[in-house]
Amino acid sequence: MPAPKTFSAANAAGESFRTGAGGAVYIYRFGDQNVGRDWLSRKRQGAGGNFPAPAANTLNDWALKQSSYGSQSEGIADNPFISVATDYDELYNHGEGWVQKILQTVPTLGEFLVPPATLHRPSPTKLISKSETEWLFYDGDHPITDYLVGWQVNPKLP
């Protein structure tokens, strides 16, 4: 099975993204800032905190299985990833209808600045992930909220 691509400017060519100091990447996730599980992978929720990094081939398998923003594989107990986007407008504008419906119902948009090595491309054969600017955040070492820049009211609420 091919290795998922971690974030780099080359691997995100043609996508909208911003970087900060040291090459950290700005990412976005929709959810409810008051609901902790919206910001944690299922693996982190089940482990009650940090967990040992899975074997490289296991991490690879999970990244390749998750095929689009908020896919059903995000809800599987052993999944150490959460879906994020480097451009929330692109996610909304190019997301499938069911993604847009989700984005129109949650109250909060979180902005985070994360190390590029924490971001993995989901199934590289799925073009929808690129058009949504979707990446997978691996939260085994630190929860995404450790990288919080700020919360805002979801700008996509009707």
Side-chain angles (χ1 to χ4, degrees), residues 36-49 51 139:
R37 70 177 177 274
D38 281 1
W39 314 102
L40 302 173
S41 71
R42 293 295 178 146
K43 179 75 172 177
R44 181 173 276 279
Q45 289 175 46
F51 52 88
D139 76 347

Side-chain angles (χ1 to χ4, degrees), residues 66-110:
Q66 191 158 330
S67 61
S68 62
Y69 189 89
S71 80
Q72 292 297 346
S73 64
E74 185 173 325
I76 297 173
D78 288 335
N79 189 351
F81 295 110
I82 56 174
S83 294
V84 297
T86 58
D87 184 321
Y88 63 85
D89 284 321
E90 291 297 310
L91 170 63
Y92 183 79
N93 293 334
H94 297 288
E96 297 172 90
W98 65 270
V99 171
Q100 291 177 355
K101 285 180 184 177
I102 292 170
L103 303 185
Q104 291 171 359
T105 62
V106 295
T108 310
L109 175 65

